[in-house]
Amino acid sequence: MSRIKRWINMNKKEFNADGTMKDEVRQQKISQGRNPAAIDDYALRAKQEYDEWKLLDETDPEPWPVYTAYDFFTAEEKQQFNPDGSLKPEYVEQALQKGISENWLEEMERRKKIDVDNYNAVSAKYAEQGINFGEEQMQERIASSKTYGQRLKQMAIDLRNCEPADSLPFDKETTYW
């Protein structure tokens, strides 16, 4: 979300939300025998960093791409579900025609809504700390997809070398050779 929120979150044990050192922290450092001038210098440098981050937030805010749970649905799930986790009426109609029970469809919808609610809760919690949960998840997916081919090639080598199944990146029964 913002640099300043991250700064506050990283320094909340020693500093107030306005970037000043907490009095009890200063007193504790003095009681531990630290030089008051060195403590004041440390507090001044931290306050300057706080002010710099705050100014950056105001003049050059970081991009904050917004990802929803729907962005992480598979292609099949996007055909079945709405962004809120409810089943699409056309999917329900097709599924009932195929003989899928209404109870199972309700259970699918219930589970997907829980997934969406959980994503939203975690995303909100991270945002309070200045962390873009959705962006982190998306970057993780992108990185994983980039290495998929490499991991697949390595698995072929590992299989030829009779490596134990638990050390393989994929289940050899579900991978097509």
Side-chain angles (χ1 to χ4, degrees):
M1 180 166 266
S2 71
R3 294 174 185 96
I4 205 64
K5 279 189 176 184
R6 280 198 311 278
W7 190 95
I8 292 168
N9 193 47
M10 291 185 313
N11 296 290
K12 63 185 171 193
K13 290 182 181 175
E14 292 186 328
F15 294 90
N16 297 310
D18 66 354
T20 58
M21 182 180 275
K22 294 179 179 178
D23 289 333
E24 60 270 14
V25 170
R26 185 175 190 286
Q27 294 305 319
Q28 180 185 14
K29 289 180 181 296
I30 290 171
S31 71
Q32 292 171 341
R34 300 222 177 116
N35 182 330
I39 297 167
D40 292 341
D41 182 57
Y42 169 64
L44 178 63
R45 284 183 284 121
K47 177 66 170 143
Q48 288 170 339
E49 181 182 65
Y50 170 92
D51 291 340
E52 180 182 333
W53 285 31
K54 186 175 180 185
L55 179 64
L56 280 172
D57 276 349
E58 293 166 358
T59 59
D60 185 24
E62 291 180 320
W64 189 271
V66 176
Y67 293 99
T68 66
Y70 189 74
D71 294 315
F72 298 96
F73 286 11
T74 64
E76 182 180 0
E77 289 172 330
K78 286 182 178 182
Q79 291 175 348
Q80 298 170 340
F81 297 97
N82 293 309
D84 67 352
S86 62
L87 283 168
K88 292 184 175 182
E90 58 272 16
Y91 174 77
V92 172
E93 186 179 315
Q94 291 170 359
L96 290 172
Q97 289 173 358
K98 290 178 184 177
I100 297 175
S101 76
E102 203 170 317
N103 286 343
W104 176 242
L105 293 172
E106 289 171 1
E107 180 63 16
M108 284 175 60
E109 183 174 83
R110 184 187 74 79
R111 290 180 183 184
K112 186 52 74 177
K113 283 184 174 184
I114 289 171
D115 288 347
V116 170
D117 290 345
N118 287 342
Y119 175 89
N120 292 339
V122 170
S123 186
K125 183 79 171 163
Y126 274 57
E128 289 174 6
Q129 300 171 25
I131 300 168
N132 188 332
F133 176 73
E135 183 176 27
E136 283 188 354
Q137 294 297 301
M138 190 58 73
Q139 293 305 322
E140 195 174 296
R141 274 198 176 184
I142 290 168
S144 180
S145 69
K146 285 180 180 177
T147 63
Y148 176 79
Q150 295 167 329
R151 291 180 288 146
L152 203 54
K153 287 177 187 174
Q154 184 60 47
M155 184 166 165
I157 294 167
D158 291 346
L159 284 170
R160 284 194 302 269
N161 292 334
C162 301
E163 296 290 333
D166 63 348
S167 71
L168 300 174
F170 306 107
D171 182 354
K172 66 181 180 182
E173 302 302 322
T174 60
T175 308
Y176 300 102
W177 300 102

